[in-house]
Amino acid sequence: SSPSRAATTGVGARRLLEQAPMAHAFKHKLFVGSLPSDLTTEELSLVFGTYGACTDVHIMQGKSTSGQSCAFVVYESADAANNAIAALNGVYSFREDGSPPITVSWARQG
């Protein structure tokens, strides 16, 4: 029965490792609002990648009443996330058509 106990322990340890990055990653998750509805993941990654390594970029699907989109961007480090907030929030626009600047803030847990 020793080999099966070792195998079970290995699976348990692997499961812990798989869960740890998700819990850790959420600490560096940003909410990005006021995005143009035609924005691509590549455009978002290009701009936010300027401030650090992005581990996940997700544009929310579905139409809002304003016609704008929102997204989540996850960084490897809190420094990168803070730099992106400082540089982009209320300042940066993806389109030069008079649309409002994007909003960038820490995502709320829950």
Side-chain angles (χ1 to χ4, degrees):
S1 72
S2 288
S4 64
R5 187 177 304 131
T8 304
T9 304
V11 168
R14 197 174 310 120
R15 193 170 293 135
L16 283 173
L17 287 173
E18 288 169 359
Q19 290 171 354
M22 285 307 296
H24 180 70
F26 193 87
K27 294 177 185 172
H28 313 308
K29 187 174 190 177
L30 301 182
F31 173 80
V32 186
S34 300
L35 296 171
S37 59
D38 62 343
L39 188 73
T40 65
T41 303
E42 290 75 23
E43 287 175 291
L44 200 59
S45 297
L46 186 67
V47 170
F48 280 82
T50 304
Y51 303 96
C54 297
T55 58
D56 188 32
V57 175
H58 179 77
I59 298 176
M60 303 299 286
Q61 298 302 316
K63 294 291 178 200
S64 68
T65 54
S66 67
Q68 296 173 329
S69 296
C70 60
F72 291 103
V73 176
V74 181
Y75 279 103
E76 275 185 12
S77 75
D79 284 345
N82 279 318
N83 289 340
I85 292 170
L88 301 172
N89 183 43
V91 177
Y92 187 83
S93 291
F94 278 93
R95 305 284 184 263
E96 294 181 9
D97 60 1
S99 56
I102 61 173
T103 60
V104 186
S105 61
W106 287 102
R108 288 194 293 269
Q109 291 189 357

